[in-house]
Amino acid sequence: GTSVAIITPQTQAVRWRDDGTNPTASVGYPLSVGAELKYDSAAIASLKFIEQVASAAINVCYYGPN
């Protein structure tokens, strides 16, 4: 039932993909520390992240339909 996710890297930059392919430390859409990604695509179940540098952490809030 998730329709929106708000994602913010906390400690290190990350990369993400939503096309079914795993991101790598150098391939995928970059998201820097403190940047906010508001993700509201139907592909939310395919969303994957990887850290660009060891010890990355992300904060995620999920929201369902209104």
Side-chain angles (χ1 to χ4, degrees), residues 4-65:
V4 175
I6 306 295
I7 300 119
T8 307
Q10 182 178 334
T11 57
Q12 299 290 344
V14 298
R15 288 187 180 262
W16 65 273
R17 292 184 72 150
D18 63 358
D19 61 357
T21 302
N22 291 330
T24 69
S26 61
V27 176
Y29 195 85
L31 189 60
S32 59
V33 173
E36 182 180 279
L37 170 64
K38 180 181 178 184
Y39 191 87
D40 61 358
S41 169
I44 198 162
S46 299
L47 192 59
K48 296 179 181 183
F49 291 86
I50 192 167
E51 56 194 8
Q52 286 185 281
V53 177
S55 76
I58 59 174
N59 296 317
V60 181
C61 290
Y62 295 103
Y63 299 95

